[in-house]
Amino acid sequence: MGNAARGLDRSCPRAEQAVLVNMGRTEEEASALRTFDGGAIAVRLLNATDRPVSMAINLQPTPVCKPAESERRTELAAGKEASVTFPVVRQGFQTNGVFGIPFVATVNGCAALAGESSVNLLNQSRWWGGRKIKSAEPAMGGDAPPDDGSDKTEMLAVLESRAPEGMPDGFFKLARPPEGWKSCEAYATAVPLQDLGGLPTRGSGAMAGTRLFAPAEREVKLKVSPKEVGGDILRVWINEKVVFDSRPGEGLSGKPFLLRAGMHTMAVSWRAGSGPSAAQGVNLLFVDGKTGAPVTDLIFDMEGK
């Protein structure tokens, strides 16, 4: 990955063939592409001839990422280096890691030179999360136990009966996290509830919310891990409608639903059901409702518009 490409076309003048494409590109120099704000794919060029050259560079189709443009043309002076960039808009990626993006470069209309440029995909999600710590109930009718000194970072006081439960009023219209909440980043399919702290009493809960952008309408199924959480309760809402509930008998797991193109709201909560608990990291997997193929082009970004 990242090797320079050379070409030799007998029909072209010798001087026009001494052009190096993506010279010196290594995985350590890979272009970083971040889900939230995209980036650019860079192709490095060196004209080692004694005359200027005209070049056309075409990125080849790949499921790894989708650039905003796939063709660039440039004029390169004799003996000069240049870097041609292809913008990549914010988007969901299939995975994280370094990959090669293939391309072909045509010099002065001669046969194409094949090469590839390394990109580092940073597939991420961004959530706002917080906790609500419920006061311990008195034991055997006595006084409530004294404060145990645990972290009391709390959600804003809200009615628990509204949907989603424990979400501050107007949450998805706020410009910054509400008091007591924080911004958390994670792998794109992960919900970082474990970053919010422990749940010291029964009824205490951790919740995270994000904006979910779907580029196309499709019927999907949501798979959640862990599916069972013992005596605790794990729930997921999309547009204030419950699409997953870990409690037996709810019948929501694996049920297909329509995810329209555009922006949606999403919330995930973990509530301690029987005593002290620790909200765990939750993984979400959307799959096509008909084929079961993973849906990887979704963007989870609470601060995205």
Side-chain angles (χ1 to χ4, degrees), residues 27-274:
E27 292 188 4
E28 289 72 23
E29 298 173 301
S31 304
L33 303 180
R34 180 173 158 94
T35 295
F36 303 143
D37 44 27
I41 300 171
V43 176
R44 295 177 61 196
L45 311 170
L46 170 61
N47 179 7
T49 74
D50 58 359
R51 67 180 68 182
V53 297
S54 176
M55 298 189 66
I57 302 172
N58 293 82
L59 297 183
Q60 301 302 289
T62 173
V64 171
C65 70
K66 298 177 181 178
E69 302 175 28
S70 61
E71 180 178 349
R72 280 277 195 266
R73 294 181 177 274
T74 186
E75 301 292 328
L76 195 57
K80 297 297 183 179
E81 294 185 27
S83 181
V84 177
T85 58
F86 296 81
V88 177
V89 298
R90 66 196 304 266
Q91 60 189 265
F93 302 121
Q94 291 182 349
T95 186
N96 282 321
V98 177
F99 295 86
I101 306 297
F103 63 83
V104 293
T106 304
V107 182
N108 288 353
C110 297
L113 315 178
E116 64 178 22
S117 183
S118 298
V119 295
N120 185 14
L121 303 184
L122 303 175
N123 199 26
Q124 299 164 312
S125 60
R126 182 159 47 198
W127 303 75
W128 288 353
R131 295 184 302 162
K132 182 167 185 176
I133 306 303
K134 185 176 181 180
S135 298
E137 299 175 357
M140 301 299 291
D143 295 333
D147 186 351
D148 61 4
S150 61
D151 184 357
K152 292 292 184 178
T153 302
E154 297 185 0
M155 297 180 182
L156 297 179
V158 293
L159 294 176
E160 294 267 274
S161 59
R162 68 186 300 274
E165 61 185 18
M167 188 69 75
D169 192 28
F171 179 82
F172 290 102
K173 297 181 180 179
L174 300 177
R176 61 182 61 87
E179 182 180 355
W181 288 57
K182 63 181 181 179
S183 179
C184 304
E185 294 185 7
Y187 180 72
T189 62
V191 187
L193 294 178
Q194 76 280 7
D195 294 345
L196 305 177
L199 307 177
T201 55
R202 179 189 179 197
S204 295
M207 171 166 279
T210 192
R211 292 185 176 95
L212 165 61
F213 177 75
E217 179 177 301
R218 55 170 70 90
E219 187 177 71
V220 299
K221 294 180 181 179
L222 175 61
K223 296 184 178 181
V224 179
S225 178
K227 184 176 180 180
E228 299 177 356
V229 295
D232 293 345
I233 301 171
L234 173 62
R235 303 178 79 191
V236 180
W237 292 260
I238 293 182
N239 299 331
E240 299 194 350
K241 181 179 180 180
V242 178
V243 294
F244 176 85
D245 194 321
S246 67
R247 292 175 295 184
E250 293 299 320
L252 292 171
S253 178
K255 185 177 180 180
F257 59 93
L258 183 65
L259 187 66
R260 297 190 181 279
M263 194 69 73
H264 306 266
T265 63
M266 187 169 186
V268 180
S269 78
W270 187 297
R271 176 175 291 190
S274 57

